[in-house]
Amino acid sequence: YIVCLFTTSDVREEMGFYHEETLEECEMLGIPRESVENIPHHQLFRELVNTVEKKVQCSYIDFIPDDFSGVMVKAQKECVAKGKIGLLASLYFGSELIVPSIY
């Protein structure tokens, strides 16, 4: 039910391989290229989650069901049925956890 169109560029970026232009934009925003270059998105996300968990003293991973992709499919169907256009935003955090398995 989840419709995904991936380009080679999307896959490369998910794996941490960015165009030079993107890396230059990161640097202009104060993000050192070394902090993102060649680091897969799921690893960057995991680093973010680890930092947040330390701050709130609670484990995010403890709340993730074993069948997370099934939960996402159900959530997507529910959002679509309600005519929600903010579907991607509602599923973002979970998507970073399962995208590596899609590739």
Side-chain angles (χ1 to χ4, degrees):
Y1 192 79
I2 297 177
V3 178
C4 299
L5 297 174
F6 296 114
T7 66
T8 302
S9 180
D10 292 334
V11 173
R12 289 187 48 78
E13 190 170 295
E14 277 292 327
M15 300 313 296
F17 304 112
Y18 300 95
H19 291 94
E20 182 61 27
E21 179 181 298
T22 301
L23 293 169
E24 289 172 4
E25 289 174 3
C26 285
E27 288 177 323
M28 287 190 299
L29 293 169
I31 302 167
R33 69 173 53 223
E34 300 81 30
S35 69
V36 295
E37 191 172 28
N38 300 319
I39 303 172
H41 281 190
H42 69 274
Q43 183 177 336
L44 291 172
F45 180 76
R46 187 69 241 168
E47 290 174 19
L48 167 70
V49 170
N50 288 341
T51 301
V52 171
E53 287 177 341
K54 287 177 187 173
K55 296 289 183 194
V56 298
Q57 299 177 348
C58 181
S59 173
Y60 174 78
I61 202 77
D62 290 344
F63 298 100
I64 300 172
D66 291 334
D67 178 26
F68 194 72
S69 60
V71 172
M72 284 189 62
V73 168
K74 289 176 186 173
Q76 183 179 26
K77 287 179 181 178
E78 185 177 320
C79 287
V80 170
K82 293 179 180 179
K84 301 292 183 185
I85 60 172
L87 176 61
L88 291 177
S90 69
L91 300 177
Y92 173 74
F93 277 97
S95 70
E96 285 301 326
L97 296 172
I98 68 166
V99 164
S101 66
I102 293 172
Y103 295 146

